[in-house]
Amino acid sequence: MRDTAPAQRPGLGTGTAADREDPAGLDAAPADGCPTTDPVGLVIPGAGPGERPTLRLRDSGPEEPSRYAPEWLELREGPDGAARADALLEPLRVRLAELPGGADGLVIHDLGCGTGSMGRWLAPRLAGAQHWILHDRDPYLLHFAAAASPRAAADGSRVTVETRRGDVARLTPESFTGASLVTASALLDVLTREEVETLVAACTDAGSPALLTLSVAGRVELSPSDPLDGEIAEAFNAHQKRGDLLGPDAITVACEAFSARGATVRVHPSPWRLGADESALAAQWLRGWVGAAVEQRPELRGPAERYLRERLAACAAGELRVVVHHSDVLALPRTTDGVHDSDLVRDSDLPVQPRTTDGATS
């Protein structure tokens, strides 16, 4: 999941930016623009009876710290839920209703689950018994996700959970054997083309629908505007695509890959709309957004410090409005009888090719 929260989470238990030597908070953004956890005096749980290893996305050292702070994920959970595209749920329900029933009912894989917000949003919106398989490399987050998972579906049916520790990739159809649905939130834009195509192949070969929400769409709108908005956005977008990461291009790559494998693909906008009531999230997002831009273009540091200071003041005063554009993707593979529609279905005027010049985040 890609977020632009600061690595040291200023204002979330570690002091505000004003308490440090870096008053604008620019040094808070890590190399990948993602939040990291810092010590909070809690024991990191180990693998329990319901937790087993899964496949890894990229090789990394066993002591590599988590990139995602539970406090940041909690802060964004409400706006995430409000942004996700409810319009995609009905075609998903129709497909799921066609599946043969199993002992556990629906079997849903949640990739990069974090603290489990996707399950808390989706499970109560689907009827019937559900068994959720939560994937994440961070045992700390898996602990939160399992403990706070929903226990009942929309019709009161039972919801059960198991956790699988590790990053998810190098997938095969066997990875999702028996899956009714594969889902993820804010995941696609931190993958490479090869990783997206591997994920798509695993879903379609297993015949599993995929609901992939809150992928960066390449646009941000701030009101009131500032002359530096465009330059910060352009630098941030470049940061999103550093190395082989897809960033805003991930939506198009995923849609084309699903469609090429015979799936029906629907895309729907899912923007964050942050106003005075979401000022805490907007402030955290701003620090990470500007910090990533400065990391990409260090020469922006001087003007960016002024920009961020003024933006944070407007945010604190309830005067700043931010729209952070994302898109949700629903892919329905061809059914076992071979019936399918491989055309891309656009549920809005969202372009097939995401624009990448206006700025965006996930």
Side-chain angles (χ1 to χ4, degrees), residues 1-327:
M1 298 185 298
R2 170 71 54 85
D3 303 301
T4 54
Q8 301 303 319
R9 301 183 328 214
L12 289 177
T14 58
T16 64
D19 297 326
R20 303 192 307 275
E21 294 182 358
D22 176 31
L26 292 177
D27 290 332
D32 61 359
C34 298
T36 64
T37 54
D38 55 3
V40 292
L42 297 177
V43 176
I44 302 297
E51 180 180 311
R52 54 197 176 92
T54 187
L55 298 170
R56 297 191 65 79
L57 174 59
R58 301 183 184 91
D59 293 331
S60 59
E63 303 304 321
E64 181 181 348
S66 170
R67 295 179 299 169
Y68 301 101
E71 292 89 343
W72 164 250
L73 299 178
E74 180 181 6
L75 190 62
R76 64 173 289 173
E77 183 166 348
D80 279 356
R84 290 191 185 100
D86 286 337
L88 297 181
L89 293 181
E90 188 55 31
L92 174 62
R93 293 187 186 105
V94 171
R95 171 58 65 89
L96 294 178
E98 298 171 350
L99 299 176
D104 294 320
L106 300 175
V107 177
I108 302 173
H109 289 254
D110 185 1
L111 310 183
C113 68
T115 58
S117 65
M118 186 67 179
R120 289 188 291 275
W121 178 81
L122 184 58
R125 287 170 167 80
L126 300 177
Q130 302 168 36
H131 181 66
W132 281 70
I133 301 173
L134 309 179
H135 300 258
D136 205 285
R137 71 187 181 102
D138 186 344
Y140 185 41
L141 297 183
L142 283 173
H143 172 77
F144 277 93
S149 63
R151 296 294 184 254
D155 59 355
S157 297
R158 186 183 182 193
V159 176
T160 58
V161 171
E162 71 174 273
T163 58
R164 296 188 182 179
R165 183 178 176 183
D167 287 335
V168 182
R170 301 178 185 172
L171 299 167
T172 67
E174 291 73 27
S175 303
F176 298 143
T177 297
S180 309
L181 173 66
V182 174
T183 190
S185 188
L187 175 69
L188 286 179
D189 48 278
V190 296
L191 301 181
T192 65
R193 177 180 292 272
E194 180 181 1
E195 289 160 354
V196 167
E197 291 175 348
T198 298
L199 172 60
V200 169
C203 292
T204 55
D205 288 351
S208 175
L211 178 63
L212 307 171
T213 70
L214 297 172
S215 296
V216 47
R219 290 175 292 140
V220 169
E221 301 169 26
L222 298 101
S223 178
S225 63
D226 183 281
L228 202 59
D229 288 346
E231 202 165 359
I232 295 291
E234 182 179 0
F236 176 79
N237 278 348
H239 188 273
Q240 291 282 87
K241 296 174 66 174
R242 68 201 179 285
D244 294 328
L245 299 182
L246 287 171
D249 295 341
I251 301 166
T252 294
V253 170
C255 289
E256 290 176 347
F258 274 117
S259 185
R261 297 181 69 87
T264 297
V265 183
R266 293 179 180 267
V267 183
H268 200 284
S270 52
W272 275 353
R273 300 185 184 277
L274 308 181
D277 292 341
E278 298 81 24
S279 60
L281 176 60
Q284 293 296 83
W285 171 82
L286 274 166
R287 291 186 177 99
W289 189 61
V290 177
V294 170
E295 183 172 290
Q296 183 69 24
R297 290 182 52 191
E299 70 274 15
L300 287 175
R301 173 171 288 275
E305 287 179 345
R306 183 276 309 167
Y307 175 89
L308 182 57
R309 186 165 48 250
E310 293 178 358
R311 285 304 199 189
L312 289 175
C315 188
E319 298 170 352
L320 184 66
R321 300 292 182 271
V322 183
V323 179
V324 183
H325 289 273
H326 312 99
S327 293

Side-chain angles (χ1 to χ4, degrees), residues 298-358:
E299 70 274 15
L300 287 175
R301 173 171 288 275
E305 287 179 345
R306 183 276 309 167
Y307 175 89
L308 182 57
R309 186 165 48 250
E310 293 178 358
R311 285 304 199 189
L312 289 175
C315 188
E319 298 170 352
L320 184 66
R321 300 292 182 271
V322 183
V323 179
V324 183
H325 289 273
H326 312 99
S327 293
D328 291 0
V329 175
L330 173 65
L332 303 175
R334 61 168 64 103
T335 58
T336 54
D337 60 7
V339 176
H340 67 281
D341 174 6
S342 61
D343 291 335
L344 174 66
V345 179
R346 280 175 283 170
D347 294 322
S348 71
D349 59 353
L350 182 76
V352 175
Q353 176 64 46
R355 289 176 287 172
T356 60
T357 58
D358 302 329

